Amino acid sequence: MTWLIEHSARINLPQARGVFEALARKRAEGVVLGRPKGRKSSKTKLTGQELKIKELLDKKVSYSAIARILGVHRLTVSNFVKDKIVAK
């Protein structure tokens, strides 16, 4: 709360307090807030494009080039390949 007070020039203090109080009420009621720890979405930006990615990889196209083709970051392609394609 002290950080909030120190930075109140950027934050609407009454509104922020209201948000904190609402979250505290929810927690007191036993409501679990946020995404469960360790859980990832089953859908990604590349879901449904496995075949296209596999074909590009078979043609020795780099992750960076695949990312440019698909409009995503190269690490998105790398993680997708590692998690979805190689794991199969």
Side-chain angles (χ1 to χ4, degrees), residues 12 19 26 31 33 46-47 53 55 59 73 79 84:
N12 181 348
V19 170
K26 288 290 187 186
V31 175
L33 303 173
L46 300 177
T47 300
I53 294 170
E55 289 171 357
K59 293 179 184 177
H73 194 275
N79 289 332
K84 304 287 184 183

Side-chain angles (χ1 to χ4, degrees), residues 3-73:
W3 179 90
L4 183 63
I5 293 169
E6 292 171 8
H7 295 85
S8 62
R10 288 185 250 155
I11 299 172
N12 181 348
L13 197 54
Q15 184 179 14
R17 280 200 180 120
V19 170
F20 285 124
E21 290 169 1
L23 291 173
R25 274 196 310 275
K26 288 290 187 186
R27 281 190 213 101
E29 292 169 5
V31 175
V32 178
L33 303 173
R35 175 176 58 85
K37 291 184 180 181
R39 171 82 45 99
K40 291 184 181 179
S41 175
S42 60
K43 290 187 177 182
T44 67
K45 292 179 180 182
L46 300 177
T47 300
Q49 299 192 41
E50 292 89 345
L51 185 60
K52 185 174 187 177
I53 294 170
K54 183 85 169 102
E55 289 171 357
L56 291 168
L57 289 172
D58 290 341
K59 293 179 184 177
K60 305 291 185 205
V61 178
S62 69
Y63 287 166
S64 295
I66 294 171
R68 280 192 298 274
I69 292 167
L70 300 175
V72 296
H73 194 275

